[in-house]
Amino acid sequence: MKGIMPNTQIHGLPIFPVDAHIFPGGKLKLRIFESRYIRLVKERSSLDPAFAIAMYSHVMVGQQPQLLKVATTVKIIDFENLEDGFLGITVEGVGLVSILSVMTESDGLHIAECDLLTHWNQDTADFDEGHTEYLTQKLRSLYMEYPDFSALYPSLKQDLNWLVMRWLELLPVPSDLKVEMLQEKDASNAVMLVRMMIEASEKNLSDPDDLS
């Protein structure tokens, strides 16, 4: 597991819980309609990070979903007026934080004390072995099928870490496992998981009757 960055505690960071997954470098559209989140956007739209997005664990406690202790800090990169009259924002993932404690303000907005976390080493040469080209091709094909994703990413970075994070955001992997992988020293295990799931999905599509 990667460690905590020295002298990088973040105080008073708002937490936005969502079911969607976003990691550093990723983009996500959010619909803002609750008063607590309207206030959040007004107060922190120009800040970087503006807030942190926390995913729910797949583990329930007393029939209640629990937030993961690792969240993604985001900055707001775009605003739009939605057809239903509500505010829409687009955020981009910046980094990872470990949530140390959370307090809830009078309107229900969660405010956290956090430590900034390191994540994957940038040097992927030792285990790339064609993975960058493969994941780029597969991701480009997927985005062509879904215009909403294509609009968020008009071009794909030729960076293995970036590509793996985009796949982790999309694949049906428990959020707890995704977060664990992001805290490993490099992306090698995540690469293997992503490729295995892509290849298994393609095999099922080509031969749906083969259950072996």
Side-chain angles (χ1 to χ4, degrees), residues 29-167:
K29 288 183 176 290
L30 297 171
R31 180 170 172 265
I32 307 298
F33 57 92
E34 294 185 46
S35 58
R36 55 181 167 173
Y37 298 126
I38 294 173
R39 176 169 71 89
L40 182 158
V41 172
K42 286 181 178 179
E43 294 178 353
R44 298 186 62 90
S45 61
S46 62
L47 300 181
D48 182 5
F51 54 93
I53 288 183
M55 301 181 301
Y56 288 102
S57 169
H58 73 287
V59 177
M60 305 283 283
V61 176
Q63 303 301 315
Q64 296 295 320
Q66 302 296 304
L67 288 178
L68 293 174
K69 294 297 185 183
V70 173
T72 301
T73 59
V74 300
K75 59 182 178 181
I76 301 173
I77 60 173
D78 198 13
F79 298 86
E80 61 182 316
N81 292 316
L82 302 177
E83 292 182 356
D84 57 12
F86 291 113
L87 172 66
I89 64 173
T90 303
V91 298
E92 182 175 11
V94 177
L96 299 176
V97 291
S98 173
I99 299 175
L100 304 176
S101 62
V102 178
M103 60 164 286
T104 303
E105 297 191 336
S106 58
D107 61 358
L109 183 64
H110 302 306
I111 305 294
E113 299 294 301
C114 305
D115 279 330
L116 192 61
L117 298 175
T118 59
H119 51 280
W120 295 335
N121 293 334
Q122 293 301 306
D123 186 2
T124 60
D126 289 344
F127 59 88
D128 191 327
E129 299 175 352
H131 298 311
T132 296
E133 181 179 355
Y134 175 87
L135 294 181
T136 299
Q137 176 189 354
K138 298 299 181 182
L139 195 60
R140 183 176 291 116
S141 297
L142 181 67
Y143 284 178
M144 288 178 64
E145 296 181 31
Y146 298 95
D148 288 346
F149 285 125
S150 182
L152 285 175
Y153 303 102
S155 62
L156 302 182
K157 291 186 179 181
Q158 297 300 297
D159 177 278
L160 184 56
N161 287 348
W162 187 91
L163 292 164
V164 174
M165 287 187 192
R166 302 296 72 79
W167 276 107

